[in-house]
Amino acid sequence: PNFSPNLSAAVDASRCNILRFPGVMPRLSDPNFMSHAPLLFRPDGTLVPKSSHCVSLEELEEMLEEYYLGPYLCGKDVTAADVAWIPYLERYAVQLPMVYPNVDVLNPRSSDAYGEVWKWFLAMERDVPAYACAVMGDGRLWKRCLEEVVELHNERAATEEEKVTLGPEPKRKGWWMKNNPKGLELW
């Protein structure tokens, strides 16, 4: 007899991956900025180092490789872990390349640098309607959020070298902008 049903294993895997978030993503980031620009700035006003972002993205890539049966954090099915991670990873994937433009290893959506992470984003867009039409947002919205944080950061930067100049926003558009012919007018 099967004394440990699959449901229990799936719940345990999902819970485990939800709890891994603080240990995988850059540490010591400013909690006051989590709603606008998560994981990019420290409480003392400095940027989280590039190396911390690289390590975090490599760890996320390894997490996705652990469950080789599918593109999601726990395998072939979307779980609570994917739902818990995606709001942060979506903003991170749009904003990190704006803070560090033209650095492929600092682009979570780079298929060359992070193939499993790239597949995860594609699967979320394809298979999870709520992500594609609500969470994904639009590059311009995430850039506006980041600009607010960068303005605060630049005001408290000790030197000109510490100030951040943003690169261009990503070219991709969210579901709403793609499917609303008057989206640009309304924006």
Side-chain angles (χ1 to χ4, degrees), residues 6 9-10 13 17 61-79 82 116 119-120 123 126-127:
N6 290 339
N17 279 336
E61 181 81 1
E62 289 173 13
M63 279 179 63
L64 289 162
E65 288 170 352
E66 287 175 18
Y67 295 94
Y68 58 88
L69 295 175
Y72 299 105
L73 288 170
C74 296
K76 64 182 173 114
D77 298 316
V78 175
T79 65
D82 300 289
E116 296 301 317
K119 289 177 195 171
W120 181 72
R126 180 190 66 229
D127 300 337

Side-chain angles (χ1 to χ4, degrees), residues 38-115:
L39 314 167
L40 300 176
F41 297 93
R42 292 179 168 174
D44 67 0
T46 59
L47 280 169
V48 170
K50 292 178 187 180
S51 59
S52 292
H53 296 297
C54 288
V55 168
S56 293
L57 291 168
E58 288 166 6
E59 287 183 30
L60 178 58
E61 181 81 1
E62 289 173 13
M63 279 179 63
L64 289 162
E65 288 170 352
E66 287 175 18
Y67 295 94
Y68 58 88
L69 295 175
Y72 299 105
L73 288 170
C74 296
K76 64 182 173 114
D77 298 316
V78 175
T79 65
D82 300 289
V83 173
W85 281 63
I86 194 59
Y88 298 102
L89 291 179
E90 173 59 28
R91 283 174 281 170
Y92 192 63
V94 172
Q95 294 174 341
L96 187 60
M98 284 193 276
V99 173
Y100 297 107
N102 305 316
V103 182
D104 201 40
V105 295
L106 293 176
N107 183 350
R109 285 184 174 263
S110 167
S111 61
D112 294 331
Y114 307 106

Side-chain angles (χ1 to χ4, degrees), residues 101-165:
N102 305 316
V103 182
D104 201 40
V105 295
L106 293 176
N107 183 350
R109 285 184 174 263
S110 167
S111 61
D112 294 331
Y114 307 106
E116 296 301 317
V117 177
W118 179 74
K119 289 177 195 171
W120 181 72
F121 275 114
L122 290 179
M124 292 295 288
E125 290 173 25
R126 180 190 66 229
D127 300 337
V128 184
Y131 168 71
C133 68
V135 177
M136 189 172 167
D138 189 76
R140 292 171 295 180
L141 170 64
W142 299 134
K143 184 174 184 177
R144 280 186 187 173
C145 292
L146 181 58
E147 286 170 340
E148 290 177 24
V149 174
V150 166
E151 186 177 329
L152 289 171
H153 165 78
N154 287 346
E155 286 174 7
R156 59 187 188 180
T159 66
E160 286 297 313
E161 293 171 352
E162 290 180 0
K163 291 186 177 183
V164 173
T165 303

